[in-house]
Amino acid sequence: MNTSYRKIVVKIGSNVLTRENGLPDTSRIEHLVEQLSAIKKQGIEVIVVSSGAVASGRSLIKIQEKQDAVAARQLLASIGQIKLIHTYMQLFEKQELLCSQVLVTKEDFRDRMHYLNIKNCLEILLQHHVIPVVNENDVVSVTELMFTDNDELAGLIASMLNADALIILSNVDGIYNGDPKSEGSKVIEEVGRNAGNISTFITSGKSGFGRGGMVTKLSMAQKVARLGIPVHIANGTKANIITDVLTGRVVHTRFVPEKNTSGKKKWIAHSENAATGTVKLNKGAIQALISGKASSLLPVGITAVGSDFQKGDIIRLTDENNTLIGLGIAEYGSDKAREKIGEKGQRPLVHYNYFYAIL
Ligand SMILES: Nc1ncnc2c1ncn2[C@@H]1O[C@H](COP(=O)(O)OP(=O)(O)O)[C@@H](O)[C@H]1O
Ligand SMILES: N[C@@H](CCC(=O)OP(=O)(O)O)C(=O)O
């Protein structure tokens, strides 16, 4: 296979793994495993982020309609995940490969130490030629502790491992410039930095068993591409899809990567939840920070320091209306930052190497 990618993350949506009646589609999973195995055997590192626990659970047990939604999800995922991973295990074994189960929650990425812990875990698996099959631990992650969906998790994993590409497999050919079901709609094949407002094309409808929908796929893909990793959204229900995406033989949506950023910057980009303090900036500082030039945040551009933070914490940088401009690592704590508000000639609070612009 002719691809320059050496490490890929492949996210497989619930709808790809499930038939319309809700039962797991074992022959499709087998076909995907065959492709992943062929890629792996060529020396490309493969990490799978697989949804489908809840959908698998639905095929195994009937639950009452009035059941609390959170409890129902816990029940279905607990039963379904074991079935799902067992299916993967058997199919990879047939290919003489080992896969592993990695279940995570948002909490497992709450600070740099936890983040590196998961990173080390995935790296040791890859070093031993194991294919990690990652999913959110739906049994223990509830409501505000949850990822938006597995697209968000896949973006985080691809960034964390500095993958060469992220492939998102859904049940559509890519992002369409209209309703995918309308005849006139076409797949947008390339999305660059100045692609305009693609989100206006996305209708709120989700596929039968999915969670986040195309909106999260789009925002995650744009973020990951900005960090320097190409993202492909393609139809996982089509034969040979992974190989065809890698060889550029199939219509799908590709997000063009920007310059690759450092590992620390990638971590900051995915760590809004870990932020402690908030700092408000004036217009000049905002312009300098989002200009794309190497500008650090100087105290002269700060108008207020909100909640407390320590040196080394991730902080939120906002405008006067509390709109998030970016995230950065504080070079010193909030007490010192307050003393220097508006002062010229002071040390930067956030160095440009440790700043990630949201806008
Ligand atoms: N403009 C669009 N282009 C492509 N898909 C869209 C668009 N607008 C809405 N969608 C919907 O997004 C769905 C895919 O997202 P999702 O349900 O989260 O799938 P998955 O389970 O694969 O994560 C598609 O099935 C489609 O109905
Ligand atoms: N973790 C959940 C999947 C959540 C999710 O994001 O689903 P999907 O939108 O199909 O990728 C599960 O395994 O059922």
Side-chain angles (χ1 to χ4, degrees):
M1 191 184 316
N2 181 17
T3 174
S4 57
Y5 299 153
R6 305 317 305 155
K7 188 194 290 177
I8 58 168
V9 175
V10 180
K11 185 261 170 173
I12 310 176
S14 310
N15 297 287
V16 176
L17 303 170
T18 318
R19 291 177 200 275
E20 280 188 1
N21 61 8
L23 294 173
D25 191 334
T26 313
S27 56
R28 183 165 301 139
I29 305 177
E30 177 154 28
H31 181 52
L32 290 167
V33 166
E34 282 163 2
Q35 292 171 73
L36 293 166
S37 303
I39 293 164
K40 177 80 185 168
K41 285 172 188 170
Q42 289 195 9
I44 299 171
E45 291 184 312
V46 176
I47 302 96
V48 177
V49 176
S50 178
S51 300
V54 173
S56 279
R58 262 197 209 108
S59 70
L60 296 168
I61 194 167
K62 246 201 145 13
I63 49 171
Q64 293 164 338
E65 277 192 10
K66 56 178 188 290
Q67 185 64 58
D68 167 69
V70 173
R73 206 172 65 89
Q74 289 176 307
L75 170 66
L76 294 174
S78 185
I79 299 165
Q81 176 65 25
I82 188 172
K83 170 92 178 166
L84 181 69
I85 205 70
H86 187 245
T87 309
Y88 274 116
M89 190 189 79
Q90 285 187 321
L91 295 172
F92 275 117
E93 264 175 11
K94 233 166 132 177
Q95 302 294 326
E96 297 179 350
L97 286 169
L98 264 181
C99 70
S100 75
Q101 172 179 258
V102 180
L103 295 178
V104 296
T105 67
K106 214 169 186 171
E107 275 289 282
D108 297 321
F109 300 88
R110 65 182 169 274
D111 54 32
R112 182 111 180 119
M113 197 181 84
H114 284 84
Y115 178 92
L116 293 177
N117 188 23
I118 301 282
K119 183 170 186 272
N120 290 341
C121 164
L122 292 170
E123 281 174 349
I124 195 75
L125 289 166
L126 294 177
Q127 276 167 29
H128 287 80
H129 307 290
V130 175
I131 297 177
V133 182
V134 186
N135 194 1
E136 182 167 11
N137 190 345
D138 300 292
V139 175
V140 293
S141 52
V142 286
T143 16
E144 67 278 4
L145 300 176
M146 275 160 66
F147 286 103
T148 312
D149 60 16
N150 268 351
D151 299 311
E152 188 190 358
L153 174 60
L156 173 57
I157 300 278
S159 303
M160 172 193 253
L161 295 174
N162 197 20
D164 296 314
L166 168 60
I167 301 176
I168 302 276
L169 298 179
S170 188
N171 62 346
V172 278
D173 287 354
I175 301 186
Y176 286 75
N177 61 1
D179 187 333
K181 291 192 195 86
S182 306
E183 247 183 45
S185 302
K186 276 202 166 125
V187 173
I188 304 168
E189 294 196 43
E190 201 166 271
V191 181
R193 177 82 202 243
N194 302 314
N197 202 357
I198 299 180
S199 57
T200 53
F201 295 131
I202 296 174
T203 48
S204 57
K206 270 183 276 167
S207 49
F209 302 101
R211 185 151 101 201
M214 199 45 89
V215 180
T216 35
K217 285 191 208 340
L218 172 65
S219 63
M220 179 280 298
Q222 286 182 313
K223 178 173 177 173
V224 172
R226 274 187 59 205
L227 293 169
I229 300 170
V231 180
H232 304 261
I233 299 182
N235 194 335
T237 67
K238 282 190 164 165
N240 302 317
I241 189 67
I242 307 177
T243 4
D244 285 353
V245 164
L246 291 177
T247 49
R249 276 198 302 239
V250 67
V251 170
H252 70 283
T253 303
R254 175 177 177 268
F255 290 76
V256 183
E258 291 182 27
K259 200 171 130 245
N260 206 340
T261 52
S262 68
K264 208 82 183 257
K265 221 173 209 183
K266 289 193 178 89
W267 169 63
I268 298 167
H270 287 280
S271 295
E272 194 187 337
N273 286 314
T276 49
T278 302
V279 168
K280 274 191 187 166
L281 314 183
N282 64 25
K283 284 198 178 118
I286 295 170
Q287 258 159 21
L289 287 177
I290 64 172
S291 66
K293 293 188 192 130
S295 307
S296 299
L297 171 62
L298 300 167
V300 69
I302 299 175
T303 58
V305 173
S307 42
D308 288 355
F309 54 85
Q310 315 270 323
K311 177 179 181 207
D313 281 1
I314 292 190
I315 54 176
R316 304 171 82 248
L317 306 176
T318 73
D319 68 6
E320 286 301 314
N321 303 318
N322 296 321
T323 304
L324 189 62
I325 305 297
L327 300 164
I329 296 183
E331 296 285 319
Y332 39 88
S334 46
D335 288 350
K336 216 176 200 174
R338 280 192 194 100
E339 282 168 20
K340 295 172 191 285
I341 289 177
E343 281 184 21
K344 286 187 180 161
Q346 297 289 349
R347 246 181 357 111
L349 175 62
V350 175
H351 189 273
Y352 68 83
N353 276 342
Y354 303 126
F355 170 74
Y356 170 74
I358 302 274
L359 290 180

